[in-house]
């Protein structure tokens, strides 16, 4: 009897510990979107440049909030040794586990679509130019100004951008590609007329894809590692929850 109680107590506190870790991990993951939004260079515009990326960010943020709540629920269920709470917690975390696993697989598969060609097609089909109200064009302009880059691969991208060419027949590149004294939308352009006419000395010649992908990559690796760690902890707490449920 003493051995059984010893095992029970150890599993109980292990479950509480892992649930606290799940809550803390949820908080860390929840911080990732806010760090991007507060990024000094302007990575926040990357989240809004495409509907799928924005929707994925919203779903990711919601899942992080659920993790925080689940960790608290699991800790309370184990501490109170409640059969009802333990079985409820098990089914809820199982459902979240399946959803998160499916979302992770979808994100991994979608990752292969986020190529240079993918963003190049969006630029060609949706970009219209400067001083526009469309979300895609305005976010693209903000990215080019903040990162001091031009197009996806470089300034030549705009010669193939149909809407931009039609609306701006005298412009080789948009104003967002021009070099400024300060990398902000209200920063003074050195020579606007010469820049939009195609003077390469006054245009940012680097494409945005390489500059952005190198900075976003570190965030993706950290999020991926934390997500795998959380999935492992979820499997463990599900096992602990069933074990405790059978012995309460």
């Amino acid at each position: 009897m003493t051995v059984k109680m010893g095992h029970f107590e150890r599993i109980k506190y292990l479950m509480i510990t892992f649930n606290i870790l799940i809550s803390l991990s949820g908080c860390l993951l929840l911080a990732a979107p806010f760090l991007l939004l507060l990024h000094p260079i302007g990575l926040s515009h990357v989240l809004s440049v495409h509907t799928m990326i924005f929707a994925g960010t919203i779903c990711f943020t919601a899942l992080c909030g659920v993790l925080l709540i689940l960790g608290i629920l699991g800790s309370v269920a184990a501490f109170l040794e409640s059969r009802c709470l333990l079985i409820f917690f098990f089914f809820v975390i199982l459902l979240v586990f399946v959803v998160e696993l499916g979302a992770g697989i979808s994100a991994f598969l979608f990752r292969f679509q986020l190529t240079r060609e993918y963003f190049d097609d969006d630029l060609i089909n949706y970009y219209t130019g400067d001083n526009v109200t469309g979300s895609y064009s305005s976010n693209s302009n903000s990215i080019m100004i903040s990162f001091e880059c031009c197009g996806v691969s470089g300034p030549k991208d705009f010669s193939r951008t149909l809407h931009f060419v039609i609306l701006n027949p005298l412009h080789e590149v948009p104003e967002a590609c021009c070099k400024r004294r300060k990398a902000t939308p209200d920063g003074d352009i050195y020579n606007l007329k010469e820049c939009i006419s195609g003077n390469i000395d006054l245009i940012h010649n680097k494409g945005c894809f390489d500059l952005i992908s190198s900075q976003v990559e570190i965030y993706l690796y950290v999020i991926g590692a934390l997500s795998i760690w959380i999935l492992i902890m979820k499997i463990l707490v599900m096992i602990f929850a069933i074990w405790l449920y059978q012995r309460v």
Side-chain angles (χ1 to χ4, degrees):
M1 184 68 178
T2 306
V3 175
K4 288 183 179 179
M5 286 300 294
H7 285 312
F8 183 88
E9 291 298 320
R10 280 195 289 269
I11 296 299
K12 171 183 171 180
Y13 289 114
L14 269 176
M15 181 175 171
I16 292 173
T17 301
F18 276 105
N19 274 293
I20 291 172
L21 289 174
I22 286 175
S23 290
L24 292 175
S25 300
C27 290
L28 286 173
L29 285 175
L30 196 58
F34 293 102
L35 287 174
L36 287 174
L37 289 172
L38 296 173
H39 195 276
I41 300 179
L43 282 178
S44 57
H45 299 292
V46 179
L47 302 180
S48 305
V49 76
H50 194 278
T51 306
M52 287 297 293
I53 298 175
F54 181 74
T57 304
I58 296 297
C59 293
F60 175 79
T61 305
L63 275 175
C64 292
V66 170
L67 283 177
L68 179 60
I69 296 170
L70 275 178
I72 297 171
L73 176 62
S75 299
V76 172
F79 182 78
L80 296 178
E81 301 176 13
S82 168
R83 284 173 62 87
C84 291
L85 280 177
L86 284 168
I87 198 64
F88 176 72
F89 169 76
F90 172 80
F91 283 115
V92 171
I93 201 168
L94 178 62
L95 176 63
V96 174
F97 176 86
V98 172
V99 171
E100 188 177 344
L101 186 63
I105 293 171
S106 299
F108 181 77
L109 295 175
F110 181 67
R111 168 176 167 268
F112 293 107
Q113 298 181 35
L114 298 179
T115 59
R116 187 188 302 273
E117 290 73 21
Y118 177 89
F119 290 102
D120 193 49
D121 287 342
D122 275 357
L123 184 75
I124 291 170
N125 293 322
Y126 303 118
Y127 186 78
T128 54
D130 300 292
N131 303 318
V132 292
T133 55
S135 60
Y136 178 83
S137 295
S138 61
N139 283 319
S140 296
N141 288 333
S142 296
I143 289 171
M144 289 189 285
I145 292 170
S146 298
F147 286 88
E148 298 183 323
C149 56
C150 187
V152 175
S153 301
K156 292 182 179 179
D157 290 345
F158 294 100
S159 63
R160 300 178 288 112
T161 306
L162 182 61
H163 296 296
F164 174 75
V165 171
I166 292 174
L167 295 172
N168 306 273
L170 301 178
H171 290 201
E172 293 291 325
V173 294
E175 293 179 17
C177 286
C178 297
K179 293 182 179 180
R180 300 165 184 254
R181 289 183 172 83
K182 187 178 180 182
T184 58
D186 57 350
D188 293 331
I189 298 173
Y190 286 110
N191 190 325
L192 177 60
K193 186 177 180 180
E194 287 292 319
C195 172
I196 60 177
S197 297
N199 189 329
I200 59 172
D201 294 327
L202 299 169
I203 300 171
H204 295 296
N205 294 309
K206 290 184 178 179
C208 296
F209 182 82
D210 291 331
L211 289 173
I212 294 173
S213 60
S214 62
Q215 296 197 35
V216 172
E217 196 173 40
I218 184 65
Y219 285 95
L220 296 179
Y221 281 132
V222 172
I223 289 171
L226 273 173
S227 298
I228 293 171
W229 165 243
I230 289 171
L231 287 174
I232 293 171
M233 286 194 293
K234 282 181 180 177
I235 293 172
L236 291 174
V237 295
M238 282 192 286
I239 294 171
F240 294 155
I242 287 298
W243 193 91
L244 291 174
Y245 173 80
Q246 292 174 340
R247 286 161 178 78
V248 170

